[in-house]
Amino acid sequence: MPDAASPGSEQDAVAVFVALADPTRRQILDHLARTGPATVSELAATLPITRQAVAKHLAQLVDAGLLVAGEPEGRRVRYRARPEPLRAALAWLSALANRWDDRLDALQAHLDG
């Protein structure tokens, strides 16, 4: 498995998994991935939560690296999705799956032998 300092590390994956544990954050990320950058107000118009709640969810997604805030346009800021942290989490899951596959293969060889 990758070490904690490498891309795809467990720490990176945990941040992504924590951010994606909430259905509203998943919905926000999906919306931005499908439609492109949006402001807090634009996102709030598509969700059954307040603008303030959207802003809090966006902050958590930014902290996890899943979003980046663009340059301010007056008082508005557009947020856009970043795929790199998802790739890092996928790399971590892949490494974990490969280790399990190796262990299961060894068990199968032992049982067959």
Side-chain angles (χ1 to χ4, degrees):
M1 181 146 103
D3 68 307
S6 68
S9 73
E10 184 174 1
Q11 288 175 326
D12 295 337
V14 167
V16 170
F17 299 144
V18 168
L20 296 179
D22 183 275
T24 300
R25 288 193 291 273
R26 289 193 305 270
Q27 192 174 2
I28 290 170
L29 186 60
D30 180 60
H31 179 82
L32 291 172
R34 282 185 294 105
T35 64
T39 65
V40 173
S41 296
E42 291 167 346
L43 290 165
T46 68
L47 297 165
I49 59 175
T50 67
R51 188 181 176 285
Q52 292 78 12
V54 170
K56 287 182 180 182
H57 284 295
L58 287 170
Q60 290 176 303
L61 289 165
V62 168
D63 288 346
L66 291 164
L67 298 182
V68 65
E71 291 297 315
E73 302 168 358
R75 292 180 23 182
R76 300 171 8 157
V77 174
R78 291 198 173 276
Y79 291 84
R80 67 177 170 81
R82 292 185 64 238
E84 296 84 4
L86 290 173
R87 290 185 190 120
L90 181 58
W92 183 84
L93 284 172
S94 252
L96 181 65
N98 287 338
R99 286 199 337 226
W100 273 104
D101 287 345
D102 292 344
R103 291 182 73 174
L104 291 173
D105 289 345
L107 177 60
Q108 186 65 48
H110 174 75
L111 294 173
D112 290 344

